[in-house]
Amino acid sequence: AQSVTQLGSHVSVSEGALVLLRCNYSSSVPPYLFWYVQYPNQGLQLLLKYTTGATLVKGINGFEAEFKKSETSFHLTKPSAHMSDAAEYFCAVSLSNAGGTSYGKLTFGQGTILTVHP
Amino acid sequence: DAGITQSPRHKVTETGTPVTLRCHQTENHRYMYWYRQDPGHGLRLIHYSYGVKDTDKGEVSDGYSVSRSKTEDFLLTLESATSSQTSVYFCAISDARTGYEQYFGPGTRLTVT
């Protein structure tokens, strides 16, 4: 079984400041890891994903995340926050045998609401 | 954007009544999922489907049933709605062709009074 913990249900930053959203996971097999963003009254949109290969993953809107196996972490960062980044962010994990019995199922963290101040 | 629609988008119903939510996709993805979203809980998997007529339970399946009679449609039924089922429900799809990324529908806001 896998699980995801997002540290901090609310994060507040100033415009132009570094954004750091924390995610730790547990998984019995090598994981696939995802970050999704949800704007108010909308569905979830994929920001980036890690499956295999390079551990630093770049996504949309200037976000990136680094897979650190030794720390079981997949933290999301952005060098300079913009007002439009205000949203809720979800980290999710899937088992890497997605084509097998895991059927691509995702386990989500509880979410982190990002607020950006002018 | 992936072609996923959900209907209805909003619904208010009374305790004890059956409710069916529909998810429709035009992407021919093999896998489909139903989640519920509640504050502080993220998204939790209710049921999923790995093919036509092939479904299984997720983390929070009690009080829900699903059916998938064709690739494009995945129905979620609340057999007898309760106030604890007031939530926002999301459908998602994925496929091996797209690396099992999940694409989400716009959601259905259900209120049980």
Side-chain angles (χ1 to χ4, degrees), chain A residues 23-107:
Chain A
C23 173
N24 287 90
Y25 71 92
S26 67
S27 176
S28 56
V29 299
Y32 290 167
L33 295 159
F34 304 82
W35 275 100
Y36 284 85
V37 61
Q38 184 181 33
Y39 299 101
N41 298 313
Q42 295 187 23
L44 278 69
Q45 177 184 2
L46 181 68
L47 272 179
L48 49 79
K49 69 175 182 179
Y50 168 80
T51 54
T52 59
T55 56
L56 182 62
V57 180
K58 295 186 184 297
I60 63 172
N61 301 339
F63 285 93
E64 63 182 36
E66 186 171 11
F67 170 58
K68 292 188 176 180
K69 183 179 179 180
S70 62
E71 299 178 8
T72 60
S73 69
F74 191 57
H75 301 331
L76 181 71
T77 61
K78 183 175 181 178
S80 178
H82 192 273
M83 297 294 289
S84 61
D85 295 326
E88 189 164 16
Y89 293 80
F90 293 93
C91 182
V93 63
S94 173
L95 299 181
S96 59
N97 63 339
T101 57
S102 74
Y103 301 117
K105 292 180 291 182
L106 291 178
T107 299

Side-chain angles (χ1 to χ4, degrees), chain B residues 60-89:
Chain B
V60 289
S61 60
D62 287 349
Y64 302 95
S65 62
V66 291
S67 65
R68 191 173 179 196
S69 59
K70 46 187 177 178
T71 299
E72 55 266 37
D73 289 327
F74 192 31
L75 304 181
L76 176 71
T77 297
L78 288 65
E79 295 140 8
S80 177
T82 68
S83 58
S84 65
Q85 294 176 312
T86 292
S87 187
V88 180
Y89 291 85

